[in-house]
Amino acid sequence: QVQVVESGGGLVQAGGSLRLSCAASGSIFSINVMGWYRQAPGKQRELVAVIRSGGSTNYADSVKGRFTISRDNAKKAVYLQMNSLKPEDTAIYYCYVNVVVDTYLRDYWGQGTQVTVSS
């Protein structure tokens, strides 16, 4: 069993900052990709940022220059520093991990954390 738990969401004014944290635990042999996705009301879930085991990253164009993803392999954790937040960043943010469990690559998701940006 693998558990993925996010924290750090909340309500912030436009222009403000938030930091999301996510930690994975359980029978994990190794972690490949960690990342963040978000889903706004009435919209499909979309990629925000991912970071691979080697440290390479990808960002959605809408967050480039404002958000920074990082990871701590020892803690099996991933973070998302969100600066210059905009109302359109309002969404539920989900942590995603791609891990090796029992020699298989598997995907796991957190339960989501709400981020609300007021104008």
Side-chain angles (χ1 to χ4, degrees):
Q1 290 288 346
V2 174
Q3 296 79 41
V4 179
V5 179
E6 305 107 331
S7 62
L11 173 64
V12 65
Q13 288 188 332
S17 299
L18 282 174
R19 186 175 188 249
L20 303 183
S21 300
C22 170
S25 62
S27 304
I28 298 171
F29 178 76
S30 64
I31 300 179
N32 182 22
V33 180
M34 306 184 83
W36 294 92
Y37 286 69
R38 68 186 181 187
Q39 187 167 18
K43 295 187 176 181
Q44 289 188 331
R45 190 174 296 190
E46 63 176 3
L47 181 146
V48 177
V50 293
I51 182 167
R52 297 171 187 81
S53 56
S56 63
T57 59
N58 284 99
Y59 293 91
D61 287 343
S62 59
V63 307
K64 283 180 181 177
R66 300 188 297 121
F67 291 11
T68 302
I69 190 170
S70 60
R71 64 190 276 174
D72 184 329
N73 291 325
K75 294 182 178 180
K76 298 186 178 65
V78 62
Y79 309 97
L80 187 68
Q81 178 65 43
M82 305 185 294
N83 299 328
S84 302
L85 282 160
K86 303 176 181 179
E88 50 264 44
D89 294 318
T90 295
I92 298 175
Y93 284 69
Y94 296 91
C95 179
Y96 161 80
V97 297
N98 177 255
V99 302
V100 176
V101 176
D102 295 332
T103 74
Y104 293 100
L105 270 175
R106 299 183 186 277
D107 297 333
Y108 292 91
W109 295 87
Q111 80 285 355
T113 185
Q114 178 71 48
V115 172
T116 303
V117 184
S118 64
S119 57

